Amino acid sequence: MRIVRSLTAVATALALVTPVTAAAKAPYDVPRINWGSCGAAPELAPFQCASVEVPTDYDRPNGPTTTIALTRLPAADPAQRVGSLFINPGGPGAPGVPFVQQIASSYSPQLRARFDIVGFDPRGVGLSDPATCYPTAAEEAVVLAKLKDFPVTAAEERGYIADAAKLAASCRRTSPDRLRHMSTANVARDLDLLRRAVGDAKLSYLGYSYGTFLAATYAKLFPNNVRALVMDGTLVPERYTGSNGERLPVGARYRQGEAASDSYQQFLLECKKAAAACPLNALGDPRTVVENLLERLKTKPIGHFDYPTTVGYMFGSFYSSTTYPALAQQLAELATSATSAKAVRKEDYPSIGNALQPCIETRNTGRPLSYPAYADAADGRAPHFGRFRAWIGIHCEFLGLKDQDAYFAPWPNQVRRPVLIFGTRHDPGTPYEATRPFANLWPDARMVTIEGWGHATSLGASKCADRLLTTYLSTLQAPSDGSTCQQDRKPFDPLPAGKSVAGLIR
C-alpha cells in the first residue's frame, strides 16, 4: 500500500469501538447521476463524467453534502451488460476518476463488454471536495517540495517532528470539517449510495491495495449488498487501524519496510541473473555496488539524489518489475557519479507528507518523540526501507481530529458469496504474508497467489490472473482457494509492446 501524495493530515489515538452501521441509520435520498462529457481531450471521448451530492455526515442525512466525482466507460455490449464495476485504485487517497480513464482499456474485452467500468474520487480526494492543508494549491506545493522522505540524523529527526506538527496544525485549520468525515466507513457508505444510483441491486467491485480495506469495511457495513468482490494487494484491517493492539506507527504495523526489503533482495537477485541486461553487473556484484552507493549518499548527495530520495525512488520502482531495468540504470549512473543522473520528481514515489485517511481512522502511538526509536528498530528489521516507512504516520500524531463514524473492529464478516483475493509473492506495498490472514476474514474467500514481483499485479502482469478475474466477475465462478498464477515476464525481460500500468496502483 502506498500513502499517496496529497498533503492532507493527521489524527489522535482513537478508542476501539464498533459504530452503528449504515444500515441502522436513517434512510438517504439516492442521488441522480447525470452523465455528460469528460472534456474535449480525444482520449476522454469514450468516457462519461458526472458528480453527485452525498451526506457529509450520515448521522444528518438532510444536512450539508459532499461532492463525489465519477467517471464511467459504458459497457461495449449493452445486450450482455451485467451492471457496473466499481474500481478503487488504493492510496489511501488515490483518485479513481483519472485511474479508470487511464487503465480501463487494459481490462479484458469480455469485462469491458459486460460492465460499465466506474471510477470515483473518494470524499476528500481529487475532484470530490478535496481536503487540503493550505488555502491554495501553490502554497501546498511549496511545502510539499521541501519535504524529505525521511530524516537520517538526530538534528533532521527533531526538525522533521517539528515540521510534522506545523503541517498538522495547518491541515486542522484548513480542512477540519472535511477531515472529520472522510473515514473509509463513510467512503463505503458513499459507495453503497453510488451502487443504488447506477441501479445495481448488488455491488460488483474491484479494489487494489488500500481498496481492499475499503472492501473489508463495505463488507462489515453492507454484507447483504455484495454481488462480487475482487481484492488485490491486501491490508490486514487490524494492522491498518491498530485494533491488533500494537503500539507502533502505522507504517511499521503493516510491515511495509519488511516487504520492501524483500523486494530489494529480489531486485538484486534478478539483476544478477540478468547478466548484461542489468547494467549494475558491469560494475561488480550488484549488492555491493548498491550498498556502497547508499552509504555514500548519506553524506555526499549526487545532484538531486541524497540517501532518503534514493531509498524512496527505489521503493516506488519496486511497485512494478517493468521498472527494474530503469532503476538499475539509474543506480548504475549514480554509482559512477554520472552527470546524466536524472532528477526525480516528488510525485514519482510515495512520501511521508501523504498521510490522510490513516490520520482520522487509525490508532496513533501517542508518542511522537519516540519515532526515532521506532525508526531505528524498523531499520534493524529492514535496512533502508524500515526507517523510510516507519516515519509515514508522524503527522497523524498531531492532528487532533477524528471521524466518529470510522469503523475499527471486529473484522470477520458475513458475506455469503465467494470473494476473489490476489496476493503477489514479492509485493513491496502490501506484504504477501498478509494475504491469508485477510482471506480468513471472509466466509468463502478464494485466494490466488501471483508468483512474481510488484504491487497488486493482477492488472497487466498476468494473463492467468486476468482470466480468473474476468470469469469471476462475469459469471461468479470463482477459482479454487489456493490457486496459483505466474506472471507473464521476468523483471529484466524486454518489455512487450503496449501500455504499461506501472505506478498507477497505490
Side-chain angles (χ1 to χ4, degrees), residues 349-361:
Y349 54 85
S351 180
I352 188 173
N354 297 324
L356 173 53
Q357 262 167 330
C359 297
I360 50 84
E361 65 181 2

Side-chain angles (χ1 to χ4, degrees), residues 105-412:
S105 62
S106 300
Y107 291 116
S108 68
Q110 182 181 350
L111 204 64
R112 285 177 293 168
R114 305 196 68 182
F115 288 92
D116 296 340
I117 298 179
V118 179
F120 67 101
D121 290 357
R123 57 169 59 206
V125 171
L127 300 175
S128 296
D129 287 341
T132 59
C133 290
Y134 291 88
T136 68
E139 291 176 83
E140 191 162 285
V142 169
V143 175
L144 183 61
K146 294 179 180 178
L147 287 176
K148 276 183 170 288
D149 288 274
F150 60 95
V152 179
T153 68
E156 288 176 349
E157 289 172 338
R158 291 191 295 271
Y160 208 71
I161 293 170
D163 288 344
K166 292 176 185 176
L167 174 59
S170 185
C171 299
R172 188 169 58 245
R173 289 192 302 268
T174 307
S175 301
D177 292 335
R178 292 176 182 179
L179 290 168
R180 284 192 183 99
H181 297 290
M182 65 180 298
S183 66
T184 301
N186 278 332
V187 176
R189 295 176 179 113
D190 297 340
L191 179 58
D192 199 60
L193 273 187
L194 296 177
R195 171 194 63 79
R196 295 169 62 191
V198 300
D200 285 2
K202 304 277 186 179
L203 177 71
S204 297
Y205 173 86
L206 171 53
Y208 302 98
S209 193
Y210 158 82
T212 68
F213 178 73
L214 173 57
T217 305
Y218 186 94
K220 288 299 301 186
L221 300 183
F222 305 100
N224 298 321
N225 294 354
V226 170
R227 174 188 174 271
L229 299 178
V230 180
M231 294 155 281
D232 183 3
T234 59
L235 287 177
V236 176
E238 293 92 339
R239 292 182 184 175
Y240 177 72
T241 61
S243 58
N244 62 353
E246 286 187 327
R247 194 73 173 268
L248 292 171
V250 60
R253 282 203 306 267
Y254 51 73
R255 319 293 200 269
Q256 269 196 331
E258 289 86 339
S261 183
D262 170 70
S263 292
Y264 176 43
Q265 304 310 315
Q266 285 293 310
F267 166 75
L268 295 173
L269 177 65
E270 293 300 316
C271 172
K272 195 163 188 176
K273 290 195 296 187
C278 178
L280 288 168
N281 287 310
L283 305 178
D285 176 69
R287 181 184 307 276
T288 301
V289 172
V290 177
E291 285 296 316
N292 287 344
L293 169 64
L294 292 174
E295 188 62 31
R296 179 158 53 101
L297 289 172
K298 290 179 181 179
T299 55
K300 295 180 180 179
I302 301 172
H304 294 274
F305 283 87
D306 58 10
Y307 176 67
T309 299
T310 305
V311 171
Y313 174 67
M314 292 170 66
F315 177 74
S317 297
F318 296 152
Y319 268 52
S320 171
S321 64
T322 63
T323 60
Y324 278 25
L327 172 61
Q329 181 63 42
Q330 180 67 88
L331 293 175
E333 291 179 3
L334 288 171
T336 56
S337 299
T339 57
S340 61
K342 69 176 182 179
V344 177
R345 297 177 301 158
K346 281 284 189 179
E347 61 268 28
D348 282 341
Y349 54 85
S351 180
I352 188 173
N354 297 324
L356 173 53
Q357 262 167 330
C359 297
I360 50 84
E361 65 181 2
T362 72
R363 297 188 76 184
N364 302 308
T365 69
R367 301 169 179 172
L369 297 181
S370 295
Y371 268 63
Y374 293 134
D376 286 345
D379 190 60
R381 296 189 300 269
H384 312 305
F385 303 99
R387 184 178 303 281
F388 174 35
R389 304 317 287 165
W391 282 96
I392 62 173
I394 184 62
H395 304 80
C396 297
E397 302 287 348
F398 299 102
L399 183 63
L401 299 176
K402 59 184 178 181
D403 188 339
Q404 298 288 351
D405 287 325
Y407 184 87
F408 292 94
W411 288 102

